Amino acid sequence: MSDIINGFKIDHFIDSGYAHTTQTYEDMLTIIDQKDILFEIAQAGHKIDFDPDVDIEILNPGTTYSDELNENFVVLKINYEDISFLLMGDAGLETEENIMKAGYDVDSDILKVGHHGSQSGSGSTFISTVSPEVSVIEVRAENEYGHPDAEVLERLQATSKVYRTDLNGTITVTTDGSTYTVTTQKSDTPYVSPNTTPTETSEVIPTETSTSEPAKVQVTAPDSKKSDITDTSSASNSLYISDLMSVLLIKQQIKNMLKLQIKEQHQ
């Protein structure tokens, strides 16, 4: 994580708040402090002020933490007009149950599958409730854990088109708010959302060849709604959201506004 913080311009860091005692975690906090990055603890039910057209709601963690580290991962539900994403991080069955009990709307077009498709997550009731059209699994090839689990994979394939970074390479989802397109590093044929036809403002962003294969989600707005949020890709009007890093890049004016609010609260 320290390499990521040093490698990207980060204005706003959102953390689960679950304390770690490792040196890695302490080093991360030190760098955040040294770089004067706004640090915020995620809490279920709160929303992230990112862009007027993009609704980002935190579904996990709740007011209390689990004894299981992975169940404290930040889970995000993202809506951009008619297209929705659910980013599960490494959260598993316990978190899925808590989210459903809380009554959150988890129905989503795109699901970033929890915990690399492990059997510890993606329960049948939860997947049925999410009802994704596309499921993305971030997983290393020939990993020692046997991810993704065969039963979980079968469950996902029954309701959605499944993409895996070990087989497909980098996976990119691009949307204009009414349709979406999935492109992968290892295929020249994009997948277009069912029963829709991409508009002229819908843009497919090609992925770059890389030795690493992280899953990523890109939301591309049409030119008429171009955002001035800090750009992190070659597309000048794209919003990049990295679930795996739990890091949000937010424009400088929001950072300054939030810092001012915090300062006023302590005066």
Side-chain angles (χ1 to χ4, degrees), residues 10-266:
I10 298 172
D11 292 330
H12 192 171
F13 190 99
I14 297 181
D15 187 81
S16 70
Y18 185 78
H20 296 258
T21 57
T22 63
Q23 187 62 48
T24 300
Y25 185 71
E26 292 180 9
D27 290 344
M28 180 192 76
L29 294 179
T30 299
I31 294 174
I32 290 173
D33 181 60
Q34 290 174 344
K35 289 180 172 289
D36 195 28
I37 297 172
L38 180 64
F39 184 89
E40 181 181 354
I41 302 299
Q43 185 173 338
H46 289 188
K47 293 195 175 184
I48 299 171
D49 185 9
F50 198 99
D51 182 272
D53 294 325
V54 181
D55 183 82
I56 306 177
E57 185 173 18
I58 299 170
L59 307 189
N60 194 67
T63 54
T64 59
Y65 293 113
S66 170
D67 292 332
E68 294 294 331
L69 174 63
N70 287 340
E71 303 299 349
N72 299 304
F73 257 71
V74 177
V75 174
L76 301 177
K77 172 69 182 293
I78 302 173
N79 289 288
Y80 176 53
E81 296 186 1
D82 297 330
I83 305 300
S84 55
F85 300 79
L86 182 62
L87 312 181
M88 290 299 296
D90 270 358
L93 298 172
E94 179 184 331
T95 298
E96 293 170 2
E97 183 177 353
N98 290 339
I99 288 174
M100 288 190 292
K101 282 184 177 179
Y104 289 113
D105 177 16
V106 295
D107 181 69
S108 303
D109 299 299
I110 314 296
L111 169 66
K112 188 278 173 183
V113 179
H115 201 191
H116 319 291
S118 163
Q119 63 180 353
S120 66
S122 302
S124 56
T125 301
F126 184 73
I127 296 303
S128 177
T129 304
V130 177
S131 187
E133 293 177 355
V134 169
S135 296
V136 178
I137 303 175
E138 184 275 323
V139 62
R140 188 174 72 250
E142 300 179 356
N143 63 87
E144 63 270 32
Y145 304 103
H147 300 334
D149 178 73
E151 186 175 340
V152 168
L153 193 58
E154 182 179 355
R155 187 176 301 144
L156 293 168
Q157 290 172 333
T159 185
S160 64
K161 185 172 180 62
V162 177
Y163 289 89
R164 299 165 46 174
T165 56
D166 60 333
L167 301 180
N168 305 112
T170 299
I171 300 159
T172 304
V173 182
T174 306
T175 181
D176 60 1
S178 59
T179 66
Y180 64 82
T181 302
V182 182
T183 56
T184 70
Q185 180 181 349
K186 298 183 179 180
S187 174
D188 295 328
T189 305
Y191 171 77
V192 181
S193 50
N195 303 320
T196 57
T197 302
T199 63
E200 292 182 359
T201 56
S202 179
E203 176 186 6
V204 175
I205 302 177
T207 57
E208 297 180 358
T209 302
S210 172
T211 54
S212 60
E213 300 178 348
K216 69 177 180 179
V217 177
Q218 287 184 320
V219 180
T220 302
D223 289 341
S224 61
K225 296 183 179 180
K226 185 176 294 185
S227 168
D228 61 350
I229 291 175
T230 302
D231 180 40
T232 59
S233 74
S234 59
S236 62
N237 60 337
S238 67
L239 165 62
Y240 179 87
I241 303 167
S242 177
D243 174 51
L244 305 179
M245 300 174 185
S246 296
V247 172
L248 297 177
L249 303 177
I250 297 183
K251 50 190 173 182
Q252 188 69 33
Q253 65 188 70
I254 292 181
K255 172 188 173 183
N256 294 338
M257 179 186 69
L258 291 174
K259 282 192 171 182
L260 179 60
Q261 290 176 348
I262 293 173
K263 181 178 180 181
E264 290 175 345
Q265 290 173 0
H266 288 82

